[in-house]
Structure formats: C-alpha cells, structure tokens
C-alpha cells in the first residue's frame, strides 16, 4: 500500500508542475528534466533544497513505508541460505531515507551503502544521519554514504559482491534525459556483474511494464550474464501507478 509523503514526487508530476509553472524553481526543474544524467544538475538541485533550513528527506515517488514489503521479505528469504551481512546498495540515493530506513528496521545484518553522484547530497545525508543518531535494528549492521557515478559500479564494488541493489527513480531519471539512455543500459548490465548469483536488482518506477519490460529485456540480452526480469505492481498514488521491476541472475538455462 502506497503511503503519501508530501516531499515525495514522481517524474511525471515534476513535468506537469513545470508545464503549469507551479514549481518554485522553474529554471531548475527545466534543467532537471533535460539533464538528469548530469552531476552539476543534481549538485544544484540538492544545494537549493538544502538551503531551505531544516533538513527534510526528499523522496522520488514515495518513501520506505510504501516499499518495505518488497525489500524486507526478500532479505528474510535470502537469510535462510546466507551467512554474513547483506551488502545492499541504494543507487542514486539523493537525500532519500530509503537506505537508512533499511538499516534502522532490518532484523538481518545489513551493510547498506547509499551512493549518489552528487557530493552535496552525500554530505547532507551524512550530516543528517549523524545528527539524528540513527540506530540499527541489528547492532551488527552498518550504514555508509558514498559519492559515486553509477556507471562505475564495476570499478567500485567488483564482481559478485552485492546482495541487493535498489533503484528508486535513478533509471527513470536517466532514460528521460537527453543523453541518459545509454548510461541507464550500462548501469543495468553492470548491476548484473556486481550482484552475487543469488542477488537482485529492484527498480521502482512509474514507467508502464509494456515499455520498461521490453527495455530491460533488451538491455540484459546485451550483458555477459543472462538474467530473469519480473514485475509487481506497487500501487497507485495521485493517479500514477508504480511498479517494482526485479532483475536477477537466471536460475535455469533458457532453451
């Protein structure tokens, strides 16, 4: 069930607000839509949002409560055949509370890395988490923040090192920008390389399965490792339907 968050916004809503001239930072919003694959765009975005005074998490689409049932049960199932901490990457985290919420609520031992291309977002999250004294559900869990261009996953993490990768709006931002579609495909293929054989990539998106599944299946065909692609509906919020796309290594060879 989707829960409303007044600081949650979909990319479709962002575009509608721009067209209606009701967004406070119209020039910034235009820049976002056209250049969502650029580091400078996000530095400016988070600088302006961070200058408003008291820190508030900015959520694309929705917050953790809306998707926890897509994440925590997967970790619980994986724990039956898993030893050691779960290595989780929140890819393109921005200032979302998604990663810290997993750290705070997961009974399984997790090592959560929240990564974003914008050092501004990373520093805001580090400062907020330290000041809020966020505590883990499991005392052995760990939380870290990292400045990272997600087209460099392979260089940063190495092959077969991650158990779960979360993508809440990052791919959507890339595929809708002028030059981001190629990067988005590269990232999906690199995700497969850095995921363990039992690992999973979860993409949360407002893109219809008729379009996203075709794109994902085309991109994973270009990967060295074969993959299965599935989808579940998350729910509807303000007239927009959201989906969870699951990409994982093939469990059986295709004929």
């Amino acid at each position: 069930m989707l829960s409303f968050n007044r600081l949650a916004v979909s990319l479709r809503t962002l575009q509608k607000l721009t067209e209606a001239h009701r967004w406070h930072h119209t020039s910034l919003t235009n820049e976002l839509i056209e250049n969502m694959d650029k580091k400078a765009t996000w530095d400016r975005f988070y600088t302006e949002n961070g200058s408003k005074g008291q820190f508030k998490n900015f959520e694309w689409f929705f917050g953790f409560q809306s998707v926890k049932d897509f994440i925590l049960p997967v970790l619980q199932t994986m724990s039956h055949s898993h030893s050691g901490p779960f290595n989780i990457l929140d890819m393109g985290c921005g200032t979302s509370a998604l990663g810290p919420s997993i750290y705070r609520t997961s009974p399984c031992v997790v090592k959560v890395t929240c990564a974003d291309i914008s050092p501004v977002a990373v520093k805001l999250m580090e400062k907020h988490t330290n000041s809020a004294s966020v505590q883990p559900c499991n005392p052995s869990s760990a939380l870290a923040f990292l400045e990272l261009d997600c087209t460099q996953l392979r260089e940063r993490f190495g092959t077969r090192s991650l158990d779960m990768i979360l993508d809440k709006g990052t791919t959507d931002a890339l595929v809708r920008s002028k030059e981001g579609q190629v990067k988005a495909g590269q990232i999906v293929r690199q995700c497969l390389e850095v995921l363990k054989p039992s690992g999973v990539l979860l993409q949360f998106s407002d893109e219809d399965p008729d379009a996203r599944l075709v794109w994902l299946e085309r991109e994973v065909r270009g990967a060295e490792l074969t993959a299965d692609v599935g989808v579940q509906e998350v729910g509807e919020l303000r007239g927009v339907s959201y989906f969870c796309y699951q990409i994982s290594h093939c469990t059986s060879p295709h004929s």
Side-chain angles (χ1 to χ4, degrees):
M1 181 69 68
L2 282 174
S3 58
F4 175 66
N5 182 321
R6 67 189 181 92
L7 286 177
V9 60
S10 77
L11 296 174
R12 292 181 187 179
T13 300
L14 186 65
Q15 291 171 319
K16 290 177 182 177
L17 288 172
T18 302
E19 292 165 2
H21 302 290
R22 288 188 280 115
W23 189 261
H24 292 302
H25 303 286
T26 304
S27 63
L28 174 57
T29 309
N30 286 333
E31 181 183 348
L32 269 176
I33 293 171
E34 295 178 0
N35 299 289
M36 291 186 187
D37 61 319
K38 303 293 194 301
K39 174 181 175 294
T41 303
W42 295 111
D43 282 345
R44 181 184 170 197
F45 177 84
Y46 289 114
T47 296
E48 294 202 14
N49 275 274
S51 66
K52 296 177 181 179
Q54 185 178 0
F55 176 89
K56 292 181 181 179
N57 296 106
F58 191 94
E59 302 288 350
W60 293 106
F61 303 154
F62 37 67
F64 173 70
Q65 291 299 316
S66 297
V67 294
K68 65 179 182 179
D69 290 339
F70 292 86
I71 299 171
L72 298 182
V74 172
L75 294 176
Q76 191 62 42
T77 299
M78 293 170 69
S79 68
H80 299 316
S81 58
H82 189 279
S83 61
F86 286 100
N87 291 305
I88 301 172
L89 172 66
D90 182 7
M91 181 175 66
C93 64
T95 57
S96 168
L98 180 62
S101 294
I102 296 172
Y103 168 75
R104 188 170 47 81
T105 59
S106 172
C108 302
V109 181
V110 293
K111 181 180 179 182
V112 182
T113 300
C114 303
D116 199 272
I117 196 172
S118 170
V120 178
V122 171
K123 289 176 183 176
L124 284 170
M125 286 299 291
E126 287 179 327
K127 181 179 179 181
H128 170 68
T129 302
N130 290 334
S131 64
S133 298
V134 177
Q135 299 299 315
C137 177
N138 189 306
S140 297
S141 291
L143 177 66
F145 299 92
L146 175 69
E147 180 186 347
L148 177 70
D149 181 336
C150 290
T151 61
Q152 299 173 2
L153 292 177
R154 185 171 46 228
E155 290 83 349
R156 176 60 181 81
F157 294 103
T159 59
R160 300 190 175 192
S161 59
L162 298 177
D163 295 288
M164 178 180 286
I165 300 175
L166 303 170
D167 173 352
K168 186 163 72 77
T170 299
T171 291
D172 290 61
L174 289 173
V175 298
R176 293 174 188 181
S177 63
K178 286 183 177 180
E179 302 172 6
Q181 289 201 19
V182 172
K183 292 181 182 179
Q186 291 174 347
I187 290 171
V188 169
R189 292 189 291 275
Q190 287 197 32
C191 283
L192 286 171
E193 291 186 42
V194 300
L195 280 172
K196 295 178 182 178
S198 60
V200 62
L201 164 62
L202 299 180
Q203 285 188 353
F204 297 101
S205 172
D206 64 355
E207 186 170 32
D208 191 271
D210 288 345
R212 178 57 62 90
L213 286 175
V214 171
W215 180 79
L216 280 171
E217 289 169 355
R218 184 180 69 241
E219 294 301 330
V220 300
R221 279 199 300 270
E224 294 182 8
L225 301 168
T226 55
D228 290 322
V229 179
V231 62
Q232 288 180 274
E233 186 170 3
V234 176
E236 185 175 303
L237 178 64
R238 286 188 163 181
V240 178
S241 295
Y242 294 94
F243 303 90
C244 175
Y245 296 93
Q246 304 108 8
I247 303 94
S248 58
H249 294 289
C250 284
T251 54
S252 60
H254 292 286
S255 55

